[in-house]
Amino acid sequence: MTVPYVPTPRDVALEMLRLANVRPGEVVVDPGAGECGIVTLAVTVFDAVGIGIEINPALVKACIENFERLGLRGRAYVVWGDLFDFDYSIADVVTLYLGSDVNEALKPKLSRELRRGARVVSHDFEVPGWRAVKSVTVNGPLRTHRIYLYII
Ligand SMILES: C[S@@+](CC[C@H](N)C(=O)[O-])C[C@H]1O[C@@H](n2cnc3c(N)ncnc32)[C@H](O)[C@@H]1O
């Protein structure tokens, strides 16, 4: 299961965070964070605490540079590692843009670790076997995107 780096467009990311109803101080976790675009928006626009998990060290470095540039120290974090090793019990909201196979593999861990009421929003790929409470279509700069909202 390899997932290449393809960033979620800004407007789609904003809609994901809106759909998840992110509130100030909540913890938003993005497994497979890329350059931490979603994490950065969660912190700067929604006043959340953001945590990205990223396996590619060059992208981890880009996250840190973005956080420094925007002065987000203490509010935005990135973990260099495998998203399957992270403990998601800290998360209020988890954002996914990973693919159906990875969503499927991650599902038991999320079910086990997330608290009741935590929200999962997935870009383009459903979490197989979960029923979305809402799904919306968003026009991106190049194509149409689909977002699925799940509540644990
Ligand atoms: C499609 S990109 C999504 C980036 C970001 N979440 C967004 O939506 O803008 C997927 C990212 O997951 C990372 N990734 C793939 N497998 C991973 C793993 N096992 N652990 C952590 N990160 C991983 C890739 O390096 C890539 O940056």
Side-chain angles (χ1 to χ4, degrees), residues 1-9 13 16 30-38 53-56 59 79 81-84 95-99 102 123 125:
M1 286 185 286
T2 46
V3 188
Y5 176 46
V6 182
T8 296
M16 289 171 77
D30 187 19
E35 293 176 280
C36 289
I38 294 180
I53 307 147
E54 178 52 57
I55 207 155
N56 178 333
L59 294 172
V79 176
D82 192 316
L83 60 89
F84 288 99
T95 57
L96 303 174
Y97 186 25
L98 292 168
V102 183
H123 176 186
F125 302 99

Side-chain angles (χ1 to χ4, degrees), residues 2 13 21 37 43 48 51 74-75 106-108 110 121-122 124 129-130 141:
T2 46
N21 191 25
V43 175
I51 304 175
R75 297 194 288 152
L106 193 55
K107 182 173 72 167
L110 293 178
V121 268
S122 184
D124 272 348
W130 280 3

